[in-house]
Amino acid sequence: QVQLVESGGGLVQAGGSLTLSCAASGRTFSRYSMGWFRQAPGKEREFVAAIGWSGGRTNYADSVKGRFTISRVSAKNTVYLQMNSLRPEDTAVYYCAGSAFPVVTAETKYDSWGQGTQVTVSS
């Protein structure tokens, strides 16, 4: 498995933007797909976005389509989540995860997880 560390979280006003980063260390797999999940207080963890090992395939939750963009730079072993037009309901702990499966949305298909980074959107 790959060790993942998220960064870039913080406090932002509604309508603002944040970019999250996920840095991988240790073993890195050429076909390792990456995803972002989030968990708000009192709610279950939910899928946000996923990207294939080559970066060409992506998938987004309906709630973030048109606002969030997932990308990866293989040479840096880093995955990004660009978040625009943020809303208070986007407030959550965001987790980076890796999977041997292609751009899956199911949490159980991911075998590597970061520690999470807090994103708070004020109204």
Side-chain angles (χ1 to χ4, degrees):
Q1 277 80 299
V2 176
Q3 292 74 49
L4 306 172
V5 179
E6 304 95 335
S7 63
L11 175 64
V12 64
Q13 294 183 347
S17 300
L18 280 176
T19 299
L20 305 182
S21 298
C22 175
S25 61
R27 295 171 60 197
T28 300
F29 303 95
S30 61
R31 292 187 176 273
Y32 208 61
S33 299
M34 302 297 297
W36 286 95
F37 292 77
R38 67 186 182 185
Q39 186 169 24
K43 298 183 179 180
E44 295 184 348
R45 186 177 295 176
E46 65 176 353
F47 169 78
V48 176
I51 189 168
W53 66 271
S54 67
R57 296 175 58 193
T58 58
N59 191 20
Y60 297 92
D62 289 339
S63 60
V64 305
K65 286 182 179 178
R67 299 190 298 120
F68 291 9
T69 302
I70 187 172
S71 62
R72 68 189 300 168
V73 179
S74 298
K76 297 181 179 180
N77 292 323
T78 303
V79 180
Y80 302 94
L81 185 67
Q82 175 66 48
M83 305 183 294
N84 298 321
S85 302
L86 284 164
R87 307 164 180 169
E89 52 263 41
D90 293 319
T91 296
V93 176
Y94 283 72
Y95 297 90
C96 176
S99 175
F101 299 89
V103 290
V104 292
T105 61
E107 181 178 342
T108 57
K109 297 296 184 180
Y110 289 80
D111 56 15
S112 298
W113 291 84
Q115 297 175 338
T117 185
Q118 177 70 49
V119 173
T120 302
V121 184
S122 63
S123 60

